[in-house]
């Protein structure tokens, strides 16, 4: 195999020409149809002046068009920059400026892009507005495959670069670890412009010559219908989708899910109760992929042991190496918590035009993830939260994720968000917003404190609780702390 994803995809256009490559909006697209549409798009890109290493911002809602444009950009040896379609005009302008994009292909006319800044023509590219910007330099590294924006925890989004070499390592190592193959049928409700969906479903599916179904909806009933109709074998979703599916699955025959061999999740952490219910009721193991914006796919949990499934994100992928370090950069002992650092072929090339920032996340050849974790004696990695979320209580560092996991074991609590606030004396304290399973069964603070004190030291116990209807979260279930 050539270590280039686009070469593999082009081979599959011929090898699997009559096979369904993509299902989107009830339309079944074969590899031959995908190939023809892609070649037409390559021709259009070349006509509008796309050159090698050109940076092209792509913000289109239609999954079929997005995938076609993506492959065509790669076939032109250019660089895609995917941007969510729901962002504001100013966010597109920021991405264009910081990424110094040469072209933009968008669903809409972006009012903040003035005529002084770009040239544009309506409906010149497929059904989208095409912009040609003022930038002329082609200063991206020769092997650059992808630029994307990471939201990060502080400051403006950063433009992350990945090489073709790293992208190949990410995709192939995950396929190998999870034992995906060309006979698989993938399903995800997650939009393909998100890196997690691209790296877990779209690119693995195309590289393997498998079938990819993008539902465009996270409604549990629709997902279950598709699983049954297409005999889906690989299902990828974020935790909140799994949580919603449990209710819908209870009214269906268990045999509906027999075709699925691999259940995958990443992004936000999954509640232990969800793992338990899928296993106890359906004998389903949900396997975690741990990844980061800068390090790509890092680990995969292939375990068939429910305890290991719940407590760990698994072992490093082939070509990836991890270790845990303390605040002084010294490697931690077994089961000791510290920052996760990563090295290997899957990691990023750096932040575009931000060399100083790139240096800040490196320790030699190792990249700091900003995640807290520990490695047990069997080499399994467990996540403990984000360094940026850590709360300082009178000199004690408290990981809110750890506290939330304990609180969620309470029989009357459905959801919780732990955070810090100041008391009347100006001191930092731990507080918690709590969602009850039954509003008719209130929880008193004294009983709550007594329960927490069994498992948490004094400085980790919330000193104030607030009963709320729901916890605010992002589009894919990550809590807004």
């Amino acid at each position: 195999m050539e270590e280039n994803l686009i070469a593999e995809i082009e081979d599959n256009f011929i090898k699997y020409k009559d096979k369904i490559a993509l299902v989107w909006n009830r339309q079944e697209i074969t590899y031959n149809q995908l190939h023809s549409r892609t070649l037409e798009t390559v021709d259009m890109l070349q006509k509008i002046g796309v050159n090698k290493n050109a940076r092209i911002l792509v913000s289109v809602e239609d999954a079929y068009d997005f995938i076609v444009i993506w492959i065509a950009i790669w076939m032109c040896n250019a660089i895609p920059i995917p941007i969510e379609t729901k962002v504001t005009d100013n966010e597109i302008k920021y991405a264009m400026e910081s990424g110094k994009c040469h072209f933009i292909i968008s669903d809409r006319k972006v009012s903040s892009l003035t005529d002084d800044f770009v040239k544009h023509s309506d409906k010149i590219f497929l059904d989208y507005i095409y912009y040609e910007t003022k930038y002329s330099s082609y200063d991206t590294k020769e092997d650059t495959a992808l630029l994307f924006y990471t939201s990060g925890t502080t400051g403006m989004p950063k433009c992350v670069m990945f090489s073709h070499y790293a992208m190949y390592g990410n995709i192939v190592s995950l396929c190998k670890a999870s034992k995906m193959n060309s006979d698989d049928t993938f399903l995800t409700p997650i939009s393909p412009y998100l890196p997690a969906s691209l790296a877990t479903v779209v690119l693995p599916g195309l590289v393997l010559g498998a079938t990819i179904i993008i539902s465009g909806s996270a409604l549990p009933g629709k997902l279950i219908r598709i699983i049954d109709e297409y005999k889906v074998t690989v299902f990828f979703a974020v935790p909140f989708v799994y949580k919603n599916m449990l209710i819908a699955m209870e009214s269906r025959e268990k045999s509906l899910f027999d075709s699925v061999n691999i259940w995958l999740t990443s992004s936000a952490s999954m509640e232990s109760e969800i793992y338990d219910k899928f296993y106890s009721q359906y004998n389903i193991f949900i396997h975690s992929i741990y990844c980061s914006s800068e390090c790509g796919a890092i680990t995969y949990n292939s375990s068939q042991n429910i305890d290991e499934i719940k407590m760990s994100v698994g072992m490093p992928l082939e070509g990836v190496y991890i270790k845990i370090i303390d605040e002084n950069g010294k490697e931690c002992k077994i089961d000791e918590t510290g920052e996760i650092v990563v090295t290997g072929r899957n990691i990023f090339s750096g932040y575009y035009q931000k060399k100083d920032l790139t240096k800040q996340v490196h320790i030699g050849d190792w990249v700091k993830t900003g995640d807290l974790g520990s490695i047990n004696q069997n080499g399994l990695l467990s996540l403990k939260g984000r360094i940026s979320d850590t709360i300082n209580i009178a000199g004690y560092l408290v990981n809110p994720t750890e506290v939330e996991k304990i609180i969620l074991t309470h029989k009357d609590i459905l959801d919780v968000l732990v955070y810090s606030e100041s008391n009347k004396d100006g001191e930092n304290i731990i507080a918690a917003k709590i969602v009850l399973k039954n509003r008719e069964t209130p929880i008193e603070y004294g009983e709550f404190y007594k329960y927490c004190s069994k498992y948490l030291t004094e400085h980790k116990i919330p000193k104030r609780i607030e009963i709320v209807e729901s916890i605010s979260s992002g589009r894919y279930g990550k809590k807004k702390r």
Side-chain angles (χ1 to χ4, degrees), residues 208-311:
L208 291 169
T211 297
I212 303 160
I213 305 173
I214 299 172
S215 70
S217 168
L219 292 174
K222 181 176 181 179
L223 295 173
I224 291 170
R225 177 184 58 76
I226 295 172
I227 288 173
D228 180 43
E229 180 179 351
Y230 285 94
K231 303 306 175 191
V232 169
T233 60
V234 180
F235 180 79
F236 170 67
V238 291
F240 94 101
V241 173
Y242 278 107
K243 189 173 185 177
N244 292 339
M245 282 186 69
L246 271 173
I247 300 171
M249 289 169 73
E250 289 177 356
S251 61
R252 267 77 168 187
E253 291 290 331
K254 293 182 179 180
S255 59
L256 285 177
F257 314 108
D258 288 348
S259 65
V260 184
N261 300 317
I262 308 170
W263 300 81
L264 299 171
T265 190
S266 68
S267 185
S269 61
M270 183 96 82
E271 296 170 18
S272 179
E273 185 179 18
I274 299 175
Y275 286 114
D276 282 331
K277 286 186 176 180
F278 269 91
Y279 175 66
S280 62
Q281 296 177 23
Y282 305 99
N283 199 33
I284 288 172
F285 293 105
I286 303 174
H287 300 280
S288 295
I289 303 166
Y290 169 50
C291 52
S292 81
S293 299
E294 292 79 8
C295 300
I298 301 169
T299 69
Y300 174 69
N301 191 338
S302 62
S303 177
Q304 298 294 308
N305 178 294
I306 189 59
D307 292 326
E308 289 184 349
I309 286 284
K310 291 191 297 181
M311 59 75 64

Side-chain angles (χ1 to χ4, degrees), residues 10 25 115 199 242 258 263 299 306 321 375 382 400 450 469:
E10 288 187 272
N25 277 346
D115 290 337
Y242 278 107
D258 288 348
W263 300 81
T299 69
I306 189 59
Y321 306 90
I375 299 174
S382 294
K450 184 177 180 180
E469 292 288 341

Side-chain angles (χ1 to χ4, degrees), residues 164-181:
H164 281 285
Y165 176 78
M167 289 294 294
Y168 187 90
N170 271 275
I171 303 308
V172 172
S173 62
L174 178 60
C175 289
K176 191 176 294 186
S178 60
K179 299 181 180 178
M180 300 170 181
N181 60 65

Side-chain angles (χ1 to χ4, degrees), residues 35-46:
H35 189 196
S36 297
R37 183 81 180 277
T38 302
L39 290 177
E40 291 173 5
T41 307
V42 168
D43 185 58
M44 295 176 75
L45 285 169
Q46 291 174 339

Side-chain angles (χ1 to χ4, degrees), residues 359-422:
K359 289 179 181 177
Q360 288 177 25
V361 300
H362 277 86
I363 304 175
D365 293 331
W366 297 83
V367 176
K368 298 186 287 185
T369 64
D371 292 322
L372 294 168
S374 64
I375 299 174
N376 71 9
Q377 61 183 4
N378 297 320
L380 294 170
L381 175 67
S382 294
L383 301 183
K384 306 294 185 180
R386 290 285 297 173
I387 289 176
S388 58
D389 288 339
T390 302
I391 302 168
N392 191 318
I393 303 294
Y396 293 99
L397 297 181
V398 178
N399 179 353
T401 304
E402 174 194 359
V403 179
E404 287 170 353
K405 286 181 178 179
I406 292 298
I407 293 173
L408 283 171
T409 62
H410 191 289
K411 61 182 179 62
D412 296 325
I413 295 176
L414 178 65
D415 204 358
V416 62
L417 178 73
V418 170
Y419 58 99
S420 67
E421 66 179 23
S422 297

Side-chain angles (χ1 to χ4, degrees), residues 338-355:
E339 182 174 9
I340 303 166
V341 294
V342 182
T343 193
R345 74 168 295 171
N346 291 12
I347 63 175
F348 78 144
S349 305
Y351 300 115
Y352 178 61
Q353 293 204 327
K354 293 187 181 293
K355 291 182 179 179

